[in-house]
């Protein structure tokens, strides 16, 4: 494990990560900071906790949306493979 510090909304947080995931975790912190800046600029939200809560909600929604889309794509592809396999077995 590797200990890194990420900065989110001006505060440093130490986290333990594997060397392989350190760069991705730093990019994730950058995404949160960018999202926080967008919410701060777009909405009249003064409390940093409210901004971070909105970031968490937005990022969770995006993850859910991606997961559902990805799952649907996999299911569609599996049905196509099964159909092709069944057609091949029947010939």
């Amino acid at each position: 494990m590797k200990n890194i510090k990420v900065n989110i909304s001006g505060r440093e947080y130490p986290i333990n990560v594997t060397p392989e995931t350190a760069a991705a975790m730093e990019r994730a912190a950058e995404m949160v900071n960018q999202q926080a800046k967008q919410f701060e600029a777009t909405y009249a939200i003064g409390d940093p906790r409210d901004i971070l809560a909105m970031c968490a909600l937005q990022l969770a929604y995006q993850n859910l949306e991606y997961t559902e889309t990805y799952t649907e794509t996999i299911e569609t592809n599996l049905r196509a493979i099964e159909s092709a396999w069944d057609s091949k077995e029947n010939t």
Side-chain angles (χ1 to χ4, degrees), residues 27-78:
R27 285 195 316 270
E30 288 175 21
M31 288 175 62
V32 171
N33 286 323
Q34 289 172 356
Q35 188 74 39
K37 286 179 185 174
Q38 286 179 343
F39 278 118
E40 210 169 3
T42 305
Y43 304 104
I45 303 174
D47 187 342
R49 289 181 297 183
D50 290 338
I51 292 170
L52 290 176
M54 293 301 294
C55 289
L57 179 63
Q58 180 68 27
L59 293 170
Y61 172 78
Q62 289 170 348
N63 182 54
L64 182 62
E65 187 176 60
Y66 172 80
T67 301
E68 289 175 354
T69 301
Y70 186 70
T71 301
E72 289 173 12
T73 301
I74 289 173
E75 289 172 353
T76 299
N77 289 338
L78 283 175

